Amino acid sequence: MVGGAGWLNDPVTATPATHGPHRRPPPSTRAVALSELRGVLGLPPGAGPADPSGADPAVRGVTLDSRHVLPGDLYAALPGARHHGAQFAGQARASGAAAALSDRPLPGLPTLVVPDPRAVLGPLAAHLHDHPSHHLEVYGVTGTNGKTSTTHLLDAGLRSAGHRTGMISGIRVRTPEWSRPAQRTTPEAPELQETLAALREQGATSAAVEVSSHGLALHRVDGTRFRAAVFTNLGRDHLDLHGDQESYFAAKASLFAPHRCALAVVNVDDAHGRRLAAQVRVPVTTFSAAGRREADWRATEVRADADRTSFRLLGPGTDRRVRLHLLGTHQVDNALGAVAALHAGGLNVEDVLRGMEDLTAVSGRLQRIDEGQPFLALVDYAHNVAAQRRLLPFLRTLTGGRLVVVLGATGERDPGKRGPLGRTAAQLGDVVIVTDESPHDDDPAALREAVAGGARGAASAQVHVEADRDRAIRLAVSLADPGDVVVVSGRGHDGQLVAGGRTRAFDDGARLRAALAQLARGGRAPTVLLPEDQVRKSMVARPPCSSR
Ligand SMILES: CC(=O)N[C@H]1[C@@H](OP(=O)(O)OP(=O)(O)OC[C@H]2O[C@@H](n3ccc(=O)[nH]c3=O)[C@H](O)[C@@H]2O)O[C@H](CO)[C@@H](O)[C@@H]1O[C@H](C)C(=O)N[C@@H](C)C(=O)N[C@H](CCC(=O)O)C(=O)O
Ligand SMILES: Nc1ncnc2c1ncn2[C@@H]1O[C@H](COP(=O)(O)OP(=O)(O)OP(=O)(O)O)[C@@H](O)[C@H]1O
């Protein structure tokens, strides 16, 4: 389709062409002899335990999950946090795996043995699919916040500029012929290469791909060539994986290595962005939403309200006002990154801006929920302090009243960010309602306490603790006065809560809408009565808004 459109009005219908149990590799996938793959890895002929029969089986696909093996696949048996894939060799063999890749020989399967199989999986999958990224213009986006939004803006711009394109984002994976919900931000290498191959086969000319730091550190994008890559920003996040901020930055920076990407597009409002721009060895285009004069692309005269966001765009040969439907000043950063990348990639700025200006929303990113209530209610995906620091001051500008923030912390992720999440919400909001997100196997009460402890420490907001997320949302609605702003943060589009090994459907937008509809039906507020010990008020009087 030409003419940008967001997911909310995307014309592509979902078909079950998924990776996973319904995996359907592109028909064009060629058969490659195992000996050829051995050559790709630089293994000498016959090195490592070969098939005792001396056969040289044809490999037609690759997967790292025994449950998804199709006949002829190479099964990559990887060491994991809970299992070693070698445990599942029997299942892979029974499903028709032709061969294996692992750090040890697998019984009954000719195995390519390398010390770090994850590290060679991407190049192998790319080889098997004839390097699809070399035949597409692939635009990547990395950074702590703004990846999904920027990816959607890139997609909208590519489409309005006439590209037949695909999008691999943390919300959905879409090709011209099918679309499905994403399982993770950046797919594992076999799925990524398979999707890029499907794009090529379906006549796509380009793709916008979200690249998480997990994706980089876990080699998921190895074997992929990017026409241009955007760096949005770096805040504290994912230290559970990276250990420290320096390693986190190094993971992000690795996307911009010359073997991966041809052009770097970097946000120089961000300190790590400035560092990256100074160190990369590919041509760099810079952008600044703060209007820095040294940037190649910059925004001035930014106006952002509850309906839209606009700014004056200044760049090579460009000086024009841009009007976005997306809400929040941070979307100016994201739009600048997208426009700079597409211009660097050779596209016409007016063509791409048309699509970006038509993009109506990105699911769960500052999405307004309106049921006629006399206050603003929104859902957002902010789940780290850096995002809160952009989001909450913006929302403050939309209210002369109070800012009510519903938040929690996901379990099994960096414990060090829980207290700061609560503290920042309390510093920048007036009413903080701490609730459960997805605790996974962590203790939900301990997670709530860590967030609430941070919030109480800030001592400037009213702090409530309500374990049940639905009740927390209804509490927020019941507490809102005309003119206030309510934001349910942290989950965005994510329609599931995971606790104690069980997953249940839970959509923040739908629950917020239901609470607002109940308010509209019942007059004032759907009263939520909480046991006294669940309500903690660290401060009853709130500071005047003007003091913030
Ligand atoms: C912490 C982490 O990254 N874990 C990854 C890891 O899982 P694991 O170590 O727990 O795997 P495991 O269960 O021990 O199994 C070991 C191996 O056996 C295989 N297996 C397992 C069971 C079976 O029946 N058959 C089988 O073949 C598994 O596919 C795996 O390869 O290896 C798996 C595949 O090998 C990954 O899918 C998995 O990513 C998990 C699911 C994940 O989502 N991680 C998150 C943290 C993530 O990647 N997030 C980022 C960024 C998010 C953001 O920006 O906010 C993302 O890109 O999504
Ligand atoms: N450029 C930005 N700078 C700071 N915060 C942002 C920016 N863009 C978005 N945000 C905030 O981060 C949240 C997540 O945005 P988005 O999904 O676009 O980023 P992301 O990098 O894909 O996040 P994740 O990796 O968690 O999927 C938004 O809901 C918003 O609160």
Side-chain angles (χ1 to χ4, degrees):
M1 189 198 83
V2 173
W7 278 110
L8 300 183
N9 47 12
D10 199 295
V12 180
T13 52
T15 55
T18 64
H19 204 85
H22 307 293
R23 185 176 143 231
R24 200 175 60 197
S28 65
T29 307
R30 61 205 177 120
V32 172
L34 188 63
S35 54
E36 184 177 325
L37 295 181
R38 183 183 293 284
V40 171
L41 297 183
L43 296 173
D51 184 353
S53 69
D56 187 12
V59 172
R60 294 171 198 283
V62 54
T63 180
L64 48 64
D65 195 318
S66 61
R67 294 160 291 195
H68 306 161
V69 167
L70 296 175
D73 270 348
L74 178 85
Y75 169 57
L78 309 181
R82 289 163 298 174
H83 307 288
H84 192 293
Q87 288 170 242
F88 311 104
Q91 185 183 33
R93 214 174 42 242
S95 299
L101 165 74
S102 193
D103 56 2
R104 61 195 66 177
L106 299 196
L109 280 173
T111 309
L112 300 174
V113 179
V114 293
D116 184 0
R118 194 177 252 289
V120 300
L121 194 50
L124 269 192
H127 181 81
L128 201 59
H129 293 291
D130 192 23
H131 302 279
S133 67
H134 296 192
H135 305 273
L136 296 162
E137 305 225 328
V138 183
Y139 290 86
V141 186
T142 199
T144 303
N145 293 307
K147 295 184 295 299
T148 304
S149 306
T150 306
T151 302
H152 280 67
L153 285 157
L154 282 168
D155 177 71
L158 284 164
R159 291 211 252 169
S160 63
H163 269 263
R164 187 170 164 84
T165 190
M167 178 164 69
I168 299 174
S169 86
I171 300 180
R172 291 193 79 81
V173 176
R174 196 210 60 225
T175 74
E177 294 179 10
W178 52 258
S179 154
R180 64 173 172 75
Q183 283 165 346
R184 52 183 71 97
T185 304
T186 305
E188 292 289 356
E191 183 188 346
L192 178 61
Q193 296 305 324
E194 224 167 61
T195 306
L196 293 172
L199 282 173
R200 183 184 175 198
E201 189 172 283
Q202 293 169 20
T205 48
S206 63
V209 180
E210 199 173 326
V211 185
S212 63
S213 59
H214 284 72
L216 289 157
L218 297 174
H219 302 284
R220 293 177 188 163
V221 296
D222 288 10
T224 305
R225 276 287 298 165
F226 292 89
R227 173 89 177 98
V230 181
F231 176 86
T232 60
N233 48 57
L234 195 85
R236 180 190 168 123
D237 213 348
H238 304 307
L239 295 193
D240 45 329
L241 175 73
H242 301 289
D244 56 51
Q245 198 68 10
E246 194 55 26
S247 310
Y248 181 35
F249 173 63
K252 295 281 188 199
S254 71
L255 177 59
F256 301 87
H259 70 278
R260 281 225 169 99
C261 113
L263 302 163
V265 179
V266 180
N267 176 11
V268 288
D269 292 335
D270 182 275
H272 285 94
R274 290 193 290 279
R275 198 173 143 195
L276 180 69
Q279 77 180 44
V280 288
R281 289 183 287 120
V282 294
V284 187
T285 299
T286 57
F287 64 94
S288 163
R292 286 170 180 262
R293 289 191 169 275
E294 69 272 24
D296 298 308
W297 292 88
R298 60 198 170 97
T300 60
E301 299 164 41
V302 175
R303 292 191 199 109
D305 60 27
D307 296 310
R308 57 197 307 153
T309 307
S310 73
F311 61 94
R312 181 175 170 196
L313 173 67
L314 296 161
T318 306
D319 180 354
R320 65 101 109 178
R321 196 135 196 101
V322 176
R323 292 175 179 78
L324 301 173
H325 294 286
L326 307 183
L327 303 184
T329 52
H330 52 276
Q331 295 295 3
V332 177
D333 306 39
N334 300 335
L336 280 178
V339 108
L342 295 181
H343 176 264
L347 277 76
N348 177 281
V349 171
E350 281 306 315
D351 288 345
V352 304
L353 284 174
R354 223 177 26 251
M356 293 183 194
E357 290 188 319
D358 281 351
L359 182 67
T360 50
V362 179
S363 184
R365 273 67 180 169
L366 262 192
Q367 211 175 326
R368 267 178 70 162
I369 309 290
D370 293 317
E371 288 289 322
Q373 76 279 1
F375 53 88
L376 262 180
L378 307 107
V379 167
D380 190 66
Y381 197 44
H383 54 78
N384 53 54
V385 166
Q388 287 179 313
R389 288 197 187 285
R390 286 303 293 270
L391 174 75
L392 300 177
F394 166 64
L395 294 180
R396 169 68 60 199
T397 67
L398 303 183
T399 175
R402 292 176 308 164
L403 179 51
V404 182
V405 185
V406 178
L407 87 160
T410 297
E412 297 182 1
R413 298 279 186 276
D414 182 7
K417 78 178 201 182
R418 296 169 190 163
L421 274 170
R423 186 161 57 247
T424 309
Q427 282 166 347
L428 300 174
D430 301 304
V431 180
V432 174
I433 302 173
V434 178
T435 188
D436 283 356
E437 281 196 3
S438 282
H440 294 272
D441 287 332
D442 274 349
D443 173 14
L447 288 167
R448 289 193 299 276
E449 197 40 45
V451 178
R456 286 189 212 106
S460 57
Q462 212 180 82
V463 181
H464 302 261
V465 180
E466 166 52 63
D468 182 86
R469 198 166 177 89
D470 193 43
R471 284 170 62 100
I473 291 172
R474 285 187 286 129
L475 175 62
V477 166
S478 75
L479 292 175
D481 288 326
D484 285 352
V485 169
V486 171
V487 62
V488 179
S489 64
R491 303 300 302 147
H493 66 289
D494 192 329
Q496 295 182 333
L497 291 179
V498 187
R502 293 180 55 208
T503 300
R504 68 185 171 105
F506 191 98
D507 184 290
D508 279 0
R511 301 299 176 114
L512 180 56
R513 188 175 294 289
L516 294 169
Q518 190 184 343
L519 177 69
R521 280 196 306 275
R524 179 64 188 96
T527 309
V528 179
L529 293 174
L530 296 176
E532 200 49 41
D533 65 351
Q534 284 189 358
V535 182
R536 312 234 168 99
K537 295 186 180 184
S538 63
M539 204 195 91
V540 177
R542 63 194 154 86
C545 297
S546 57
S547 70
R548 286 167 191 279

